[in-house]
Amino acid sequence: MSTAPSLTASKTEPASALDRFFEISKRGSTLGTEIRGGLVTFVTMAYIVILNPIILSGSADVAGNSLDFSAVGAATALTAGIMTILFGVITRLPFGFAAGLGINAFVAFSVVGQVTWPEAMALVMINGVVIVLLAVTGLRKMIFDAVPFQLKIAITVGIGLFIAFIGFVNSGFVTATGSASPPVGLGVGGSVATVPTVLFIVTLIVTGILVARKVKGGLLIGLVSGTVLAVIVEAIWHLGAAADGNAGGWGLTVPELSGAPFSLPDLSLVGAVDFGFDLSKVSLVAIVMIVFTLVFSNFFDAMGTMTGLAKEADLADEKGDFPRIKSALVVEGVGAIVGGGTSSSSSTVFIESGAGIGEGARTGFANVITGAMFLLAMFLTPLTSIVPTEIAAAALVIVGAMMMAQIKYIDLTDFSVLLPVFLTVTVMPLTYSIANGIGAGFVSWVLVQALSGKAKRISPLLWIVAAGFVLFFARGPIEALFGVA
């Protein structure tokens, strides 16, 4: 009888303490796969080190003060690194963390019009404390369990379309027309007219072929190849940045390395928070509404993202639950506290983690790799910015296509199911908000099911959450009613 180990044994018998801790073999993965997945996740998330400072430093607060660009960048990388590693070690899940785009935009464009930057970040921290309390008490999990299976799958599919739409927009393949109809169009003037967008298409096709042929590291190979090609193109044609008035330039990052590749991080914003709100300048009602909006956005964006990623990683059961879910929900709330404390805005699970999952990442060890790269990025900002968003966008579209396949698990013959699913899936990308899509799905599910004689399908908690979303959607008129500026 042969004594050679079988393939099954090699996948189920961990060879080291590291393997046992992260359950690498148990989940059918390998150390090499986790490393590749972690690198791919970092490459697709790295843009946040540039984009978050652009958003946060671009707005002056009520006192006329702005945040320093480089300091926000360093704080963003630091927070992403710490939270990604923390989440990976505690939950053993491959979900990367960084500053949430929806929340940072809300803070930059709405909140600081009423309070100072230190006060705004204090509100972000309060939002995190509320989320942690909901998670610790089990209420967040109860709300999660109250969500019907069909809506959980719809959230996954909606996030996939959202990811793909982000990719199309970031690449310049889809642009705003400036007209009422159509509001968006193809490229420039209805055609692909810039070299960066062409490179996005090339990278998308090459990566798609590699993935279709099941080439190991296909996503990473595609990203690296696209970046190298972009660097060569920039060296030859000197396209520059589109922000400099060059319509054919790169959208966010120019693929070139200028100056020294190393820089010491500016961490002056860490701890720059202020809980001493001046109620003579901002009303208590306004503060409550800001926290309410932050909690709803943070709560459901993260819940939807984790549901979708867990399903994509094949780590979720038939109810949508995944390993160490309570710990995941608690740590996600901690991300808001840490993000506020570093003035980088709430740190939350990132949908771009789907790129690493698509590469094969199944455990928290991939997070350790991603987090380490973010910590390194604090010192290597010039190298981090060398990957143009047009190239990273190709990976997002590929992952979006992968997540779209989950729709097959929903029986859409029942229109009382079809309509809420449809609204969940379409509202997310069209409003650029996961929370909006989830809210549209929840509210429509409750109303359609109840008024079509299927009220027994609705959990009492779902009624409460749906009512909360009605308030969330109507927060503008509510603020106006109470005289909130």
Side-chain angles (χ1 to χ4, degrees), residues 155-466:
I155 289 169
T156 302
V157 176
I159 290 173
L161 290 182
F162 185 31
I163 289 175
F165 191 51
I166 289 174
F168 286 132
V169 171
N170 287 354
S171 67
F173 190 78
V174 172
T175 58
T177 62
S179 303
S181 179
V184 295
L186 174 67
V188 179
S191 65
V192 176
T194 69
V195 173
T197 303
V198 171
L199 291 183
F200 155 76
I201 297 171
V202 171
T203 305
L204 176 64
I205 294 174
V206 170
T207 307
I209 293 172
L210 292 172
V211 173
R213 294 180 66 88
K214 302 186 186 303
V215 175
K216 287 187 176 181
L219 274 171
L220 183 58
I221 293 172
L223 286 170
V224 172
S225 300
T227 300
V228 171
L229 183 58
V231 170
I232 294 173
V233 167
E234 177 60 24
I236 295 174
W237 283 305
H238 305 290
L239 301 177
D244 295 333
N246 177 17
W250 303 94
L252 184 59
T253 56
V254 179
E256 63 178 359
L257 182 60
S258 59
F262 301 97
S263 62
L264 292 176
D266 178 357
L267 301 179
S268 59
L269 290 176
V270 175
V273 296
D274 181 7
F275 290 91
F277 304 104
D278 187 349
L279 296 181
S280 66
K281 295 182 179 179
V282 57
S283 69
L284 183 60
V285 173
I287 291 176
V288 170
M289 288 305 299
I290 290 172
V291 173
F292 177 84
T293 304
L294 285 170
V295 169
F296 256 72
S297 297
N298 220 145
F299 187 109
F300 287 102
D301 270 14
M303 188 192 79
T305 301
M306 285 193 281
T307 299
L309 293 175
K311 190 69 179 177
E312 181 64 20
D314 199 25
L315 296 174
D317 59 21
E318 64 278 359
K319 296 189 300 181
D321 290 343
F322 49 87
R324 300 179 179 86
I325 185 171
K326 184 174 182 178
S327 296
L329 296 175
V330 171
V331 176
E332 196 280 326
V334 172
I337 298 174
V338 174
T342 59
S343 295
S344 60
S345 185
S346 178
S347 183
T348 186
V349 61
F350 243 56
I351 53 179
E352 281 83 351
S353 303
I357 291 171
E359 187 58 41
R362 293 295 180 271
T363 79
F365 187 71
N367 267 36
V368 174
I369 301 300
T370 303
M373 294 301 294
F374 268 117
L375 294 179
L376 184 62
M378 289 194 301
F379 303 90
L380 299 170
T381 301
L383 287 179
T384 303
S385 62
I386 200 172
V387 181
T389 51
E390 288 84 357
I391 301 303
L396 301 185
V397 175
I398 294 291
V399 172
M402 292 176 176
M403 297 180 73
M404 179 71 184
Q406 299 291 334
I407 196 73
K408 65 185 178 183
Y409 296 112
I410 306 178
D411 181 3
L412 298 176
T413 57
D414 183 349
F415 194 78
S416 66
V417 171
L418 174 60
L419 182 60
V421 167
F422 174 78
L423 291 175
T424 301
V425 170
T426 56
V427 170
M428 276 189 203
L430 293 180
T431 64
Y432 236 62
S433 168
I434 295 174
N436 286 347
I438 295 174
F442 283 10
V443 173
S444 60
W445 178 276
V446 167
L447 292 177
V448 173
Q449 294 287 331
L451 298 178
S452 59
K454 302 173 183 176
K456 292 183 179 180
R457 290 185 179 183
I458 308 170
S459 163
L461 266 178
L462 200 61
W463 280 99
I464 297 173
V465 174

